Amino acid sequence: MKIGDRVRVKDSVVVYHHPQNRNAPFDLKGHEGEVIAIVTEWEGRPVSANLPVQVKFDKKFKAHFREDELEAL
């Protein structure tokens, strides 16, 4: 997976920060977005992020995932 790839959420991932469902559970399974970042370092130092793949779904909504929760389109 690399920046710019289109991806789909293949597993059930529940978030509570979706703009239209603030503070309520929202399942992202089946939603499609674009990979905008892969977190491997922070301020020049390597990190081992738990959820390294950042995906943008629309203008206001982004979320972080593990690679095994996504499938390339």
Side-chain angles (χ1 to χ4, degrees), residues 8-69:
R8 179 183 302 126
V9 182
K10 68 178 183 178
D11 293 335
S12 179
V13 177
V14 177
V15 296
Y16 290 85
H17 67 282
H18 190 269
Q20 285 97 21
N21 301 298
R22 181 81 55 194
N23 297 327
F26 184 76
D27 191 2
L28 291 173
K29 184 174 184 176
H31 283 72
E32 296 179 5
E34 179 182 344
V35 175
I36 60 170
I38 298 177
V39 181
T40 57
E41 62 178 44
W42 182 71
E43 293 185 355
R45 295 181 300 203
V47 296
S48 58
N50 294 335
L51 305 169
V53 182
Q54 186 177 22
V55 178
K56 182 176 183 178
F57 292 98
D58 57 26
K59 284 190 236 180
K60 294 185 175 185
F61 183 59
K62 299 181 231 177
H64 290 262
F65 298 92
R66 293 188 309 265
E67 285 191 28
D68 63 339
E69 295 173 327

